[in-house]
Structure formats: structure tokens, C-alpha cells
Amino acid sequence: TVDESELLTVPDGWKEPAFTREDNPKGLLEESSFATLFPKYREAYLKECWPLVQKALDEHFVNATLDLIEGSMTVTTTKKTFDPYAIIRARDLIKLLARSVPFEQAVRILQDDVACDIIKIGTLVRKRDTFIKRRGRLLGPKGSTLKALELLTNCYIMVQGNTVSALGPFSGLKEVRKVVLDTMKNIHPIYNIKTLMIKRELSKDPELRSQSWERFLPKFKRKNLKKRKEPKKKNTKKEYTPFPPPQPESQIDKELASGEYFMKERQKKRKQVEEIKAKQADAVKKRQEERNKAFIPPKEKPAVKTKKASTEKIDIEAIKEKVKNAKKKKLGALPVEEVKLKMAADEKKKKKK
């Protein structure tokens, strides 16, 4: 019995056997070709490295032509081409060269275990200033963020203009695309880099391969969420009724209900005058009340009650005894005799001087 987890995992160091001429000895039936345009600023570099491009494609029996007048590169199969996927790899090679990827990196696409992904980011953000800021955020200060992403995904990443070109293994390309798209959606790449670092450490543990990693991965929440302001006037929907609302009463209907309709013009005028006089009388009454408020005296504070004199009896004899005892004791002042002696001593001292 073998565990299913072992069957699903690829053994370490395993590689798919290379496609040789023995697998397709008769070659291809039809000729296939792909062409791509390149910008003017890439012309000088492509002119220099084109012999190296032709040499690399000749090994796979694919022809390459550079048209400097039209500004295009073309790759075509030949009668000797035996690998049907070689033309697809050659197409990706010229695409990468057109997107400012250097030849030393772009030529790796011809290997079996290397793929490429060109992510278009120009239309993901409306404002040009916001797009430039977010693209710069992907690069980081002095390219540090991009370098960290390259080390974690084992991919070569090139940010140029409105596209991001990535070159590396399939698993790494998937992560690169996710990080790039999240960055354009205003999610900082440092959050995804932290997640990738944790995944890298978890993948080293063989016991965790068949388990879910959700409990280990961090969950970041936005801190600066703007709360939607509630409107001052809330429109509440009324209950639906199939019947139309009742028709409002007209002026004639109101007069019929009150009986005014049958009154004569003189009576109507008299009633109006009476209503006006009643309103005026109410207004005069209210005005008079407001004027009279100034003549209303304020409420006086309650008078403070004085304390009644104490009627307790005083012990006169006890007070006399206290006075006698105080006379007997020496207080701060010296007695009369001592004062005289002191004055005489002071006079003698003065005479001696």
C-alpha cells in the first residue's frame, strides 16, 4: 500500500526526458511563423545581439529574421524542425526581447523547465499618476522589493512601460502574477512577500505537505477604511398596496363639508373679518404677557436663621482659679527686680568702654 500524498508529489530531482529527433523522425508537415513588433529604442541592442539569437535558434532548427525597416522580428520553422513546441518557445523569445529583457535571460526560455508570462498592467489603473506610483511600489526603494520577489519565486522579473515580463518556473510565475495584480489593486507587495516567506518555510517540512496552510498564513486587514456617511434624510419605502391613494379634497368639497358653500358673500366676508380679529386679539394678548414679565419681581432667597445665644450657666469660680494659677506661673515677661538688675549691668558695661 502506498500513500496517496506520495503519488501526488513529484520526487526531488526528477526531470521530464528531453524531446529528441527519435520522438518525431519525420518532422513537421507545415511551416509555422510568428512575428512581433519592437520599439525604436530597442533597435540598437537587437542589432548587436541578433547573431546570438540566430545561433541559439539554429540549435532547434528555427529561422529568425530581423526587419529594421518595419521594426519587426519573425521566427519560422524549417524542414529540419522536429520539436513542434520549439516555434512557441521562439515566439516567446522574441516577445521578451521586444519587452527590454536582456538576451542572457531571454534565451533561458528555450529550456524545458522555464516558462514566461507577460502581464499587461497599463489598463488596470485609470489615473496615470496613480499607475506610476503603484508601478514604483512594485520596484521598491533601489529595486529591493523586486529583488526579494525574484529570490522567493526563482523568477527573473522585468518591469518596463505598461508590462511586467517574468521568466522562470510555472509555480513562480503564478505567484508573480498574483503579486503584480494585487499591487495594481492598491495592496502593498510586502504583504504578499511575507506570505511567500512563510510558505517557503512550510514547504521544507514533509509532514505539512498534505495539510492546509491557512492557519499559518497571516490575514491582513485594511486599517484606513472610510465609513460611509449616513444620509440625513432616510427614505423609507412605504408598504406596497395595489389600490391608488385617495383623491385629495378640493376647495369646494371643504366648503360643502363646513357649510360655507351655502353662505352668502356678505356672511363669508363677515366670517373672515371675525377670524382676523380673533387672531389679532390672540397676538395682542401674547405680546402683553411678554411685556408684563419684566414687572414680575424675582423670587427672594430665604433669610438665614441666626443662631440663638447659648443660655448655659458660666462657672465664675473656675475662671478665678485659672487666673490665679496663671499669675503664679512665669510668663514670657521678666519680673521687675530682674529687669532693674539687668539695666544696671548694662550701664556698667557702657562706662567701662
Side-chain angles (χ1 to χ4, degrees):
T1 56
V2 184
D3 293 338
E4 290 183 2
S5 59
E6 291 181 8
L7 294 172
L8 292 170
T9 54
V10 179
D12 295 332
W14 182 85
K15 279 190 176 182
E16 193 175 346
F19 193 85
T20 58
R21 185 171 284 281
E22 293 173 2
D23 297 320
N24 188 16
K26 294 183 179 180
L28 305 176
L29 293 172
E30 301 247 349
E31 184 184 290
S32 300
S33 65
F34 290 99
T36 185
L37 299 172
F38 60 87
K40 185 74 176 174
Y41 62 84
R42 290 292 288 169
E43 187 177 321
Y45 180 80
L46 291 171
K47 203 173 179 181
E48 286 178 14
C49 71
W50 197 250
L52 297 171
V53 175
Q54 287 179 323
K55 188 180 177 181
L57 292 175
D58 281 341
E59 294 176 6
H60 297 271
F61 304 102
V62 177
N63 286 337
T65 54
L66 177 68
D67 192 346
L68 295 173
I69 297 166
E70 289 185 1
S72 65
M73 294 179 282
T74 312
V75 287
T76 54
T77 57
T78 59
K79 290 180 180 179
K80 293 182 180 179
T81 309
F82 62 88
D83 186 1
Y85 202 71
I87 187 65
I88 303 296
R89 295 189 184 281
R91 178 202 65 182
D92 292 340
L93 173 64
I94 60 173
K95 272 187 179 181
L96 292 169
L97 289 170
R99 295 314 312 149
S100 299
V101 178
F103 170 75
E104 292 78 11
Q105 292 290 342
V107 77
R108 287 171 53 209
I109 195 66
L110 299 175
Q111 299 172 14
D112 287 338
D113 57 343
V114 179
C116 75
D117 189 10
I118 296 170
I119 307 157
K120 294 179 181 179
I121 58 173
T123 56
L124 296 176
V125 184
R126 287 183 181 179
K127 292 182 181 179
R128 186 69 183 170
D129 295 340
T130 311
F131 168 73
I132 291 163
K133 281 181 184 177
R134 291 180 187 177
R135 188 180 63 181
R137 199 180 291 168
L138 189 63
L139 293 167
K142 297 181 182 179
S144 58
T145 307
L146 196 68
K147 189 69 181 174
L149 200 59
E150 285 180 349
L151 292 169
L152 288 167
T153 56
N154 297 323
C155 294
Y156 173 81
I157 305 166
M158 183 73 188
V159 181
Q160 176 68 23
N162 294 333
T163 57
V164 177
S165 305
L167 189 77
F170 289 101
S171 59
L173 292 175
K174 188 180 176 183
E175 297 293 342
V176 170
R177 178 171 274 274
K178 183 181 179 298
V179 173
V180 171
L181 294 176
D182 282 353
T183 306
M184 290 295 118
K185 290 174 185 174
N186 202 20
I187 298 169
H188 204 280
I190 196 70
Y191 299 128
N192 286 311
I193 285 169
K194 282 183 180 178
T195 308
L196 288 172
M197 288 169 73
I198 294 164
K199 283 182 179 178
R200 192 179 188 180
E201 293 299 320
L202 291 170
S203 62
K204 293 176 183 177
D205 193 351
E207 293 180 1
L208 293 169
R209 282 186 178 180
S210 59
Q211 295 180 15
S212 177
W213 292 351
E214 286 295 324
R215 56 200 170 110
F216 301 109
L217 300 177
K219 292 177 182 178
F220 302 105
K221 291 181 180 179
R222 288 190 178 183
K223 292 180 181 178
N224 56 347
L225 283 171
K226 291 182 180 178
K227 291 183 179 178
R228 183 176 171 271
K229 290 182 179 178
E230 293 184 359
K232 290 181 179 178
K233 292 181 180 179
K234 291 184 179 180
N235 296 326
T236 54
K237 288 186 177 180
K238 296 178 181 178
E239 292 183 4
Y240 173 74
T241 53
F243 307 104
Q247 193 172 1
E249 290 184 348
S250 63
Q251 190 66 27
I252 296 168
D253 293 335
K254 290 176 182 178
E255 287 180 358
L256 285 168
S258 62
E260 288 180 26
Y261 185 79
F262 304 102
M263 292 169 70
K264 293 179 181 180
E265 284 293 326
R266 195 184 297 168
Q267 291 174 336
K268 284 181 183 179
K269 284 181 181 179
R270 194 187 298 157
K271 191 178 181 182
Q272 287 176 359
V273 169
E274 286 175 0
E275 286 176 358
I276 291 164
K277 283 181 179 179
K279 285 180 181 178
Q280 286 175 352
D282 290 337
V284 169
K285 192 178 180 182
K286 285 179 182 178
R287 206 179 302 123
Q288 196 65 36
E289 284 176 359
E290 287 178 2
R291 286 176 182 172
N292 291 337
K293 280 180 184 179
F295 301 102
I296 295 168
K299 289 182 180 179
E300 293 183 359
K301 292 180 182 179
V304 180
K305 292 180 181 179
T306 54
K307 292 181 180 179
K308 292 179 180 179
S310 58
T311 56
E312 293 178 359
K313 292 180 180 180
I314 299 165
D315 195 356
I316 298 166
E317 292 179 0
I319 293 166
K320 285 180 179 179
E321 286 180 5
K322 283 182 183 179
V323 171
K324 284 179 182 179
N325 293 331
K327 284 180 179 179
K328 287 177 182 178
K329 289 179 183 178
K330 285 187 177 182
L331 298 173
L334 294 170
V336 179
E337 293 177 357
E338 287 183 10
V339 171
K340 287 179 180 178
L341 290 169
K342 198 171 185 182
M343 288 173 71
D346 290 337
E347 285 177 2
K348 284 179 182 179
K349 283 178 183 178
K350 284 178 184 179
K351 285 177 181 179
K352 284 178 181 179
K353 287 180 181 180

